Amino acid sequence: MHLFDCSWLALFLTVFISGHFTVACVSLYLHREQTHQALVFSPWVSVPMRVWLWISTGMVTKEWVACHRKHHAYVDREGDPHSPVLQGLFLVLFFGVSLYRKAFKDPSILKEFGKGTPEDWLEKKILTPYHKWGIFILLGLDILFLGLISGGLVWGLQMTWVPFWGAGVVNGVGHKFGYRNFETKDYSKNVVPVGVWLSGEELHNNHHYQPSNPKFSAKWFEFDMGWLYIKLFQNLGLANLSKPSQEKLTLAASLN
């Protein structure tokens, strides 16, 4: 019998630890640092996040970044890779990953929108060429520590976490339902109260108003868990905000 071979603990690990950590890595590393270059993490922070995303999602940094940058360039109009306004909420909510993969098949997207992403030894030799293998390492670890049944259950839920919560809810619901703090040229909306679960990504209208602002919350009642992590890393000397990001934070503070 495995030490952690019990269904309630397996579910707890998936929902409150593994799932949240995965979404946090997407928000902090892929989204705020790589896509919008709002800050720079120390390798002591970015490398573990890159490796975790490799084994928990199998995503390639350049592909995710290119797709999301194109989303901002053509948001909710022709050319947007995953707009529920154009493709329907059901498709984006439940099959958002397929829309990402469809976008990756166009090499011009990577060339135009994928610039500036890592091209070091780790990326070239392991994370990109073997991106499909990482998730099977996670499967092995889940079975090793949780047992065959609980481990398989946890792995299955881990494989759906980012496709549904990260891609579906944020990209789908975040452009259909919720409230708006700012008038933008799209249909982005803030969705609450799932801030802790999605590391602030649910504050979608705020983000579309200022994409390169590393802080997604704008009102007193909004909570950006990702920003809390960033402040922690800053205090530890493991993260630095870009100059434009610092200016946006100063402006936002003066308006509140």
Side-chain angles (χ1 to χ4, degrees):
M1 181 176 179
H2 291 264
L3 180 61
F4 301 112
D5 195 8
C6 52
S7 58
W8 66 267
L9 185 55
L11 185 61
F12 175 85
L13 289 171
T14 302
V15 174
F16 292 99
I17 300 179
S18 172
H20 173 69
F21 186 59
T22 300
V23 173
C25 289
V26 171
S27 179
L28 297 178
Y29 173 70
L30 287 179
H31 196 188
R32 307 188 204 207
E33 186 196 48
Q34 288 298 306
T35 301
H36 297 295
Q37 300 177 339
L39 72 161
V40 177
F41 286 113
S42 162
W44 292 104
V45 176
S46 62
V47 170
M49 287 196 289
R50 291 166 66 186
V51 173
W52 175 254
L53 288 170
W54 176 58
I55 69 172
S56 64
T57 69
M59 296 187 298
V60 176
T61 297
K62 183 182 288 290
E63 293 178 348
W64 196 97
V65 167
C67 187
H68 192 72
R69 285 175 178 170
K70 187 175 183 182
H71 164 65
H72 275 272
Y74 297 92
V75 59
D76 289 331
R77 56 192 176 92
E78 192 64 35
D80 188 337
H82 48 66
S83 170
V85 178
L86 302 177
Q87 290 123 329
L89 177 60
F90 181 85
L91 182 62
V92 176
L93 186 60
F94 294 103
F95 300 97
V97 172
S98 65
L99 297 176
Y100 271 82
R101 289 173 178 168
K102 181 180 179 180
F104 302 156
K105 292 180 180 179
D106 182 357
S108 65
I109 292 180
L110 297 179
K111 183 177 180 180
E112 182 177 359
F113 296 102
K115 298 177 181 178
T117 53
E119 295 184 352
D120 56 5
W121 181 91
L122 180 64
E123 197 71 37
K124 289 183 176 180
K125 299 297 183 179
I126 299 178
L127 303 185
T128 295
Y130 300 107
H131 69 95
K132 294 182 179 179
W133 292 96
I135 59 175
F136 295 106
I137 294 177
L138 182 61
L139 174 60
L141 292 173
D142 286 339
I143 293 175
L144 177 64
F145 288 104
L146 301 173
L148 181 61
I149 297 177
S150 296
L153 173 64
V154 166
W155 185 78
L157 292 173
Q158 287 169 326
M159 292 302 100
T160 63
W161 197 265
V162 167
F164 180 75
W165 289 104
V169 172
V170 174
N171 295 330
V173 177
H175 283 262
K176 291 292 287 187
F177 305 106
Y179 68 95
R180 289 165 64 87
N181 288 329
F182 306 101
E183 289 301 319
T184 56
K185 296 180 180 180
D186 53 59
Y187 293 87
S188 61
K189 296 176 175 62
N190 296 322
V191 184
V192 291
V194 289
V196 174
W197 294 70
L198 298 182
S199 295
E201 290 295 319
E202 80 291 344
L203 298 171
H204 212 51
N205 173 246
N206 297 352
H207 169 59
H208 271 269
Y209 178 66
Q210 287 188 328
S212 60
N213 189 336
K215 183 180 180 182
F216 290 176
S217 58
K219 301 295 184 180
W220 67 268
F221 58 87
E222 296 171 343
F223 178 62
D224 178 6
M225 189 71 179
W227 177 243
L228 185 65
Y229 291 146
I230 290 172
K231 294 299 294 182
L232 174 62
F233 289 131
Q234 272 191 293
N235 291 332
L236 294 174
L238 298 173
N240 292 299
L241 301 183
S242 65
K243 186 176 180 180
S245 296
Q246 294 174 347
E247 293 174 350
K248 284 183 172 60
L249 288 170
T250 302
L251 177 61
S254 67
L255 294 176
N256 290 333

